[in-house]
Amino acid sequence: MELKITCIPGDGIGPEIVAEAKKVLDKVGEVYGHSMNYTDILMGGASIDACGEPLTDEAIATAKAADAVLMGSIGGDTTTSPWYKLPPNLRPEAGLLKIRKALNLFANLRPAVLYDELSGACPLKDEISKAGFDMMIMRELTGGLYFGERKTVTENGKLKAIDTLTYTEDEIRRIAIKGFDIAMKRRKKVTSVDKANVLDSSRLWRKVVEEVAKDYPEVKLEHMLVDNCAMQLVKDPAQFDVILTENMFGDILSDEASMVTGSIGMLASASLNDTKFGLYEPSHGSAPDIAGKDIANPIATILSASMMLRYSFDLDKEADAIDRAVKQVLKDGFRTGDIYSEGMTKVGCSKMGDLIAERIL
Ligand code: NAD
């Protein structure tokens, strides 16, 4: 099969980590008989320097013509980089907002996995972390409180701020379908998180999720209130498979879940639209402090490439091969600086890519 992939190396460590993900994808292509057809586009600071804006319409058209987008990271040092002296709509991050909008990416997926070999980085008590965890937070990305009408008015001489939380049944249905589809590729459990004891939007959320669940009889559905979910994530994270939730709850819970893993260089992410198309990127930023030194951890980007194979191309076997290779490299004792612990072998970004590619079987 030919995989048409648009790559956004971006800024900072972006080009280094994307190069390693391509190395691993090429090895997957070799072993499993696929051809990788990459086209690079500029975004963020790199595009500002070359084209005077963080993302051009031509770059968007190139991204749209592909089957998926694999991104490194964009942005520079926000205190010293000249990019941050520009008006907000011309800064690097504006490129990210523009591409998400142009590609209609409404579903954000963030896996939080605790690897046995890295359990020392988990801030939870041993008796909780030893059970391990492997969950997927599925967050609605374009609706809810962050996109509702807002205003600040004066009432009886006092300021009053109003934010509006709105969801339509269609917005809920399309993300719920994505959540159940993804659960079918995993352990077939969905925890839908809401605040249905208080909010109307949550009561509608629950009703629509239950309707969608009828089409997925193999998937076990449970509902959980968001405050309870925040507690359960630190009390018993092993209980979760797919957590399906709205925009603001997902924003908070996905950061909580990633912190529980303890290692920022390991966290992949994906943003999907209602076709198979998606944008895949590590959860971390462009780490300008370590750029160009060949010490960044490329694993989050390599795991994002694995998600791309699984969710945009339905190549589950190939994605499993990447996930297995990452586990094996950790088992064999290789670590980049950010996840290094005593007794392990410290390697750079490029060597880590080589070691993972070698383990694709
Ligand atoms: P960051 O994630 O880039 O870095 C935070 C810390 O983690 C730094 O010490 C960095 O060295 C380390 N780190 C991050 N990724 C690493 C990796 N793969 N290997 C080893 N260490 C790693 O966050 P920041 O410093 O707040 O932001 C830097 C820039 O990245 C800013 O311009 C910010 O706007 C941008 N950013 C971009 C995205 C994106 O492209 N989606 C996301 C977050 C931040």
Side-chain angles (χ1 to χ4, degrees):
M1 160 178 192
E2 190 197 1
L3 283 67
K4 255 182 109 181
I5 303 164
T6 293
C7 295
I8 307 177
D11 307 313
I13 60 171
E16 300 167 59
I17 54 182
V18 168
E20 298 318 307
K22 280 182 178 172
K23 198 184 270 176
V24 173
L25 284 171
D26 287 340
K27 183 65 188 293
V28 168
E30 213 180 288
V31 174
Y32 290 86
H34 303 296
S35 69
M36 305 291 162
N37 175 349
Y38 307 113
T39 312
D40 283 3
I41 59 170
L42 296 175
M43 193 168 106
S47 175
I48 296 172
D49 290 347
C51 315
E53 54 177 318
L55 183 69
T56 62
D57 291 343
E58 296 78 60
I60 291 180
T62 307
K64 279 187 175 166
D67 301 316
V69 177
L70 179 66
M71 182 174 135
S73 193
I74 51 125
D77 184 318
T78 48
T79 49
T80 59
S81 165
W83 298 329
Y84 295 92
K85 304 221 165 16
L86 296 166
N89 64 326
L90 289 180
R91 289 181 193 174
E93 287 69 20
L96 195 54
L97 297 180
K98 191 170 166 187
I99 201 164
R100 282 187 181 146
K101 192 157 181 236
L103 300 176
N104 193 23
L105 304 171
F106 66 84
N108 181 242
L109 273 81
R110 278 183 46 186
V113 181
L114 184 65
Y115 294 90
D116 285 350
E117 292 77 12
L118 302 180
S119 61
C122 173
L124 302 178
K125 283 185 186 156
D126 286 353
E127 67 239 45
I128 300 173
S129 65
K130 75 170 188 279
F133 54 83
D134 177 354
M135 71 184 96
M136 181 72 80
I137 313 255
M138 178 102 194
R139 164 188 171 194
E140 202 288 327
L141 208 53
T142 57
L145 202 56
Y146 297 171
F147 290 87
E149 250 179 71
R150 73 194 75 230
K151 61 182 170 186
T152 303
V153 294
T154 307
E155 236 178 55
N156 304 323
K158 302 273 181 204
L159 286 173
K160 178 169 145 182
I162 303 157
D163 292 293
T164 332
L165 167 46
T166 315
Y167 268 109
T168 66
E169 61 177 301
D170 289 350
E171 284 173 317
I172 301 169
R173 187 165 292 109
R174 65 180 184 173
I175 182 97
I177 290 170
K178 282 272 175 213
F180 280 89
D181 282 346
I182 278 158
M184 286 297 288
K185 284 181 177 267
R186 295 175 47 96
R187 300 193 306 280
K188 301 191 173 64
K189 181 179 171 193
V190 169
T191 305
S192 174
V193 174
D194 60 37
K195 189 72 183 166
N197 52 342
V198 180
L199 300 175
D200 258 21
S201 57
S202 281
R203 284 188 275 272
L204 180 62
W205 181 276
R206 206 174 265 218
K207 177 174 177 286
V208 175
V209 169
E210 276 177 3
E211 281 166 20
V212 171
K214 289 189 187 127
D215 294 331
Y216 298 84
E218 286 174 61
V219 178
K220 181 173 183 286
L221 169 66
E222 67 175 17
H223 300 285
M224 193 177 277
L225 295 176
V226 62
D227 39 352
N228 185 25
C229 184
M231 289 192 287
Q232 294 298 327
L233 276 173
V234 289
K235 193 170 161 234
D236 178 17
Q239 69 182 286
F240 295 112
D241 179 17
V242 174
I243 292 180
L244 171 66
T245 193
E246 61 96 76
N247 202 345
M248 184 176 66
F249 298 160
D251 187 10
I252 299 165
L253 295 176
S254 60
D255 268 12
E256 183 187 357
S258 28
M259 279 308 106
V260 173
T261 68
S263 12
I264 191 173
M266 302 288 298
L267 300 167
S269 87
S271 303
L272 310 177
N273 68 17
D274 52 8
T275 68
K276 286 275 170 195
F277 189 93
L279 182 146
Y280 299 83
E281 56 172 326
S283 293
H284 58 71
S286 60
D289 52 332
I290 57 165
K293 297 182 180 162
D294 191 33
I295 56 173
N297 185 349
I299 295 181
T301 317
I302 291 169
L303 291 172
S304 302
S306 157
M307 290 179 80
M308 176 181 77
L309 296 182
R310 197 181 301 282
Y311 298 120
S312 281
F313 296 100
D314 277 324
L315 295 175
D316 289 21
K317 212 164 26 92
E318 290 80 345
D320 289 345
I322 297 184
D323 297 353
R324 261 199 319 272
V326 167
K327 280 197 181 121
Q328 191 59 47
V329 98
L330 296 174
K331 212 168 173 187
D332 293 342
F334 296 104
R335 304 281 189 275
T336 42
D338 57 312
I339 52 172
Y340 178 76
S341 58
E342 189 108 353
M344 300 293 125
T345 309
K346 198 187 268 189
V347 296
C349 180
S350 165
K351 180 73 182 169
M352 182 55 98
D354 290 341
L355 291 165
I356 294 172
E358 274 167 25
R359 286 163 177 74
I360 299 289
L361 305 169

